[in-house]
Amino acid sequence: MNEIEKTPRSFRCLLVTGGAGFIGSAFIRYLFRQPEFTGRVVNYDALTYAGNLENVAGAVDESRYEFVRGDICDRDLVLRTCETFGVDGIVNFAAESHVDRSILGPGAFVQTNVMGTFSLLEVVRARPSIHFHHVSTDEVFGSLGPTGAFTEESPYQPNSPYSASKAASDHLVRAYAHTYGISTTLSNCSNNYGPYQFPEKLIPLMILNMLESKPLPVYGDGMNVRDWLFVDDHAEAIWMVLRSGKAGSTYNVGGRNEWPNLKLLEKLIEIVAEETGRSASALRDLITFVKDRPGHDRRYAVDASKIERELGFRPRHDIDSGLRETVRWYVANGGWIERVRSGAYRDWIEKNYGAR
Ligand code: NAD
Ligand code: DAU
């Protein structure tokens, strides 16, 4: 039985937290391409190392867009922002998102991912006309053996400080909907890739290292499996859930697109070679096996049947078209890469908003 909302939700003003990051910015760019969305967007972002306003530059209708620099833990500022702009929906992307960083320093993850989500939920508890969508990850379900896939009913078994902090935030969302009756939806997505991804994550790191003939660091035996989804497909899935997902429900999002890291890297090498004229075998020689990530989850796979069945979600990109588009973007956007790598993108932020 379909459990969707009978009338799709419509929003006059969406507060997008973390809208200067990789997926949040893709969502904002996506929103401004949707003719049925005529409302305003407030991009609320603390501009940590992962936040870059270049990611939305030129892609928004300025008459319907505002940027507020703020921390999601700052409940008063979130509340004031909601009141000032008449926010009726929050989409929460703001997070510390990189597993390796969570192993080196878990504190920021607990602060932003747990306390930040708590703070947003408190705002919604005080203003229950606001619908709250929480963007989460498949990593909350832990690690799979060679078969099977995560469903919405899979038990939570987070293994890294990052996934534990995301799991805690998911539980808070569920508890607030259950206890206080606020309107929420939640999505747990697999690994994203695409343009504007910060080059600490596997795919952009590998592309950039190939372009500079640097070693390609493969953790462990390279046989850890991830389920990859092009970022614009994730944006579309969130928009579908936000509009029509049943209040109180969760949706798993994925591309049915599992790849062991080493096989994915081989495919990426072929595409970079074709797109840049470099020798594929010279690129293969750059592969370097390095020490494994502590507690490295072996395999993720998402069963996306529910969002496919109830909301009609289908990814528009397969791995070949998605990777090619991604490689072409990084090859064509040396300026963005240079500013991210040199830290120059921070200069503009500091000039306009002060140091952090
Ligand atoms: P990202 O690291 O690229 O961006 C995070 C954004 O949040 C940045 O703009 C940063 O400045 C902002 N931010 C961080 N702390 C903040 C705070 N305290 N207050 C306000 N803003 C803050 O992350 P991403 O890859 O775009 O991920 C976005 C969301 O999607 C996260 O919640 C992540 O857990 C989830 N997710 C990511 C993936 C993936 O593959 N990247 C997959 C599934 C789910
Ligand atoms: O599954 C969704 C999650 O995907 C998101 O919730 C996270 O925010 C996102 O960062 C991502 O987590 P992963 O740890 O899977 O992504 P990452 O790009 O860091 O690594 C992908 C795989 O590649 C993983 O098995 C580790 C491996 N890896 C990664 C890096 C950075 C390498 O082998 N070498 C590397 O240099």
Side-chain angles (χ1 to χ4, degrees), residues 154-207:
S154 295
Y156 273 48
Q157 290 183 335
N159 288 319
S160 71
Y162 163 70
S163 53
S165 67
K166 292 298 291 186
S169 67
D170 290 10
H171 290 318
L172 282 172
V173 174
R174 181 192 154 84
Y176 269 62
H178 183 80
T179 305
Y180 303 114
I182 63 169
S183 177
T184 66
T185 41
L186 194 155
S187 49
N188 294 93
C189 189
S190 62
N191 286 60
N192 283 213
Y193 69 101
Y196 299 98
Q197 189 167 27
F198 196 84
E200 62 187 352
K201 306 282 190 334
L202 179 74
I203 289 181
L205 178 91
M206 293 297 181
I207 296 172

Side-chain angles (χ1 to χ4, degrees), residues 97 137-139 162 191 201-202 217 219 226 261 293 296:
S97 69
T137 170
D138 61 353
E139 297 197 13
Y162 163 70
N191 286 60
K201 306 282 190 334
L202 179 74
Y219 296 168
R226 296 293 183 267
N261 293 337
R293 170 186 281 172
H296 196 175

Side-chain angles (χ1 to χ4, degrees), residues 21-168:
F22 166 51
I23 308 175
S25 66
F27 181 72
I28 290 178
R29 296 192 304 272
Y30 174 87
L31 271 184
F32 281 104
R33 294 195 299 267
Q34 303 316 303
E36 77 266 25
F37 178 71
T38 54
R40 295 169 70 77
V41 171
V42 180
N43 181 358
Y44 184 99
D45 196 300
L47 298 179
T48 69
Y49 80 95
N52 184 350
L53 287 173
E54 267 192 60
N55 298 357
V56 289
V60 299
D61 170 355
E62 294 291 346
S63 68
R64 295 192 289 134
Y65 173 81
E66 300 286 342
F67 173 72
V68 173
R69 189 184 194 183
D71 191 323
I72 56 169
C73 299
D74 185 343
R75 198 187 310 173
D76 291 342
L77 181 59
V78 175
L79 187 57
R80 269 204 317 280
T81 305
C82 288
E83 284 173 348
T84 303
F85 296 106
V87 166
D88 52 5
I90 295 178
V91 189
N92 181 31
F93 293 91
E96 289 292 336
S97 69
H98 193 45
V99 174
D100 293 327
R101 285 181 190 256
S102 84
I103 295 167
L104 293 172
F109 287 72
V110 174
Q111 180 62 19
T112 286
N113 300 358
V114 185
M115 297 309 291
T117 305
F118 163 65
S119 147
L120 295 175
L121 286 166
E122 280 290 279
V123 169
V124 178
R125 183 156 80 98
R127 296 287 180 274
S129 59
I130 298 175
H131 177 79
F132 184 75
H133 180 80
H134 186 58
V135 179
S136 192
T137 170
D138 61 353
E139 297 197 13
V140 297
F141 301 118
S143 185
L144 291 163
T147 58
F150 301 129
T151 71
E152 287 78 3
E153 278 72 47
S154 295
Y156 273 48
Q157 290 183 335
N159 288 319
S160 71
Y162 163 70
S163 53
S165 67
K166 292 298 291 186

Side-chain angles (χ1 to χ4, degrees), residues 109-332:
F109 287 72
V110 174
Q111 180 62 19
T112 286
N113 300 358
V114 185
M115 297 309 291
T117 305
F118 163 65
S119 147
L120 295 175
L121 286 166
E122 280 290 279
V123 169
V124 178
R125 183 156 80 98
R127 296 287 180 274
S129 59
I130 298 175
H131 177 79
F132 184 75
H133 180 80
H134 186 58
V135 179
S136 192
T137 170
D138 61 353
E139 297 197 13
V140 297
F141 301 118
S143 185
L144 291 163
T147 58
F150 301 129
T151 71
E152 287 78 3
E153 278 72 47
S154 295
Y156 273 48
Q157 290 183 335
N159 288 319
S160 71
Y162 163 70
S163 53
S165 67
K166 292 298 291 186
S169 67
D170 290 10
H171 290 318
L172 282 172
V173 174
R174 181 192 154 84
Y176 269 62
H178 183 80
T179 305
Y180 303 114
I182 63 169
S183 177
T184 66
T185 41
L186 194 155
S187 49
N188 294 93
C189 189
S190 62
N191 286 60
N192 283 213
Y193 69 101
Y196 299 98
Q197 189 167 27
F198 196 84
E200 62 187 352
K201 306 282 190 334
L202 179 74
I203 289 181
L205 178 91
M206 293 297 181
I207 296 172
L208 268 50
N209 283 12
M210 283 185 226
L211 298 181
E212 295 180 345
S213 300
K214 288 185 177 164
L216 308 177
V218 173
Y219 296 168
D221 63 2
M223 294 312 286
N224 300 69
V225 174
R226 296 293 183 267
D227 182 351
W228 293 94
L229 184 70
F230 191 74
V231 65
D232 289 3
D233 290 327
H234 187 189
E236 179 157 56
I238 291 169
W239 182 230
M240 286 175 158
V241 174
L242 189 60
R243 280 169 54 81
S244 303
K246 181 97 178 145
S249 275
T250 75
Y251 292 84
N252 281 4
V253 184
R256 298 185 183 274
N257 189 26
E258 286 181 56
W259 289 85
N261 293 337
L262 210 46
K263 293 267 175 248
L264 184 81
L265 184 54
E266 278 164 16
K267 187 174 262 301
L268 197 54
I269 284 173
E270 294 296 332
I271 295 172
V272 171
E274 284 165 20
E275 291 294 326
T276 66
R278 285 172 170 74
S279 140
S281 83
L283 293 176
R284 260 182 235 111
D285 288 343
L286 297 172
I287 294 177
T288 308
F289 290 91
V290 299
K291 197 163 167 282
D292 208 354
R293 170 186 281 172
H296 196 175
D297 283 339
R298 192 64 174 169
R299 177 171 166 263
Y300 304 144
V302 164
D303 178 347
S305 307
K306 180 179 175 187
I307 190 169
E308 290 166 356
R309 189 180 62 246
E310 294 192 0
L311 303 180
F313 173 70
R314 294 280 177 284
R316 293 178 193 272
H317 298 76
D318 61 20
I319 193 74
D320 290 297
S321 64
L323 283 183
R324 196 167 292 276
E325 190 171 330
T326 305
V327 168
R328 284 186 181 161
W329 188 87
Y330 281 95
V331 168

